[in-house]
Amino acid sequence: MSCNGEFDENKSVIIVEKTKTNGFTDLKIKTESIRIFNKEINGDCNENKTSKFSYKTLRFNKSVFK
């Protein structure tokens, strides 16, 4: 059985900010991007993970959040 492979995973949450734009509360999207590398070494599955966080603020522009 081989465990070799690369996988990507993204997890996001919405954070309600204290600031407002055009009368609507700003929303911040926090995303964790995880990259997983699996490799079989001496019959064992070795897993390495790296992750990074990114943020995007959505503001209301009179018709939609952008």
Side-chain angles (χ1 to χ4, degrees):
M1 178 170 75
S2 177
C3 74
N4 295 335
E6 295 181 21
F7 308 93
D8 292 310
E9 183 178 332
N10 292 304
K11 298 177 183 180
S12 296
V13 294
I14 298 172
I15 302 166
V16 179
E17 295 283 273
K18 294 181 181 179
T19 56
K20 290 186 177 190
T21 303
N22 294 317
F24 287 84
T25 303
D26 297 335
L27 303 174
K28 183 181 282 187
I29 310 300
K30 176 183 176 184
T31 301
E32 180 181 18
S33 299
I34 303 166
R35 183 142 235 211
I36 302 167
F37 300 94
N38 289 341
K39 186 172 185 178
E40 188 174 335
I41 300 175
N42 298 325
D44 291 328
C45 192
N46 185 355
E47 180 179 87
N48 288 319
K49 288 184 182 181
T50 59
S51 67
K52 67 177 184 176
F53 289 94
S54 61
Y55 298 87
K56 169 124 179 108
T57 300
L58 301 176
R59 293 180 177 88
F60 195 71
N61 76 348
K62 298 183 183 178
S63 61
V64 294
F65 278 93
K66 283 191 173 185

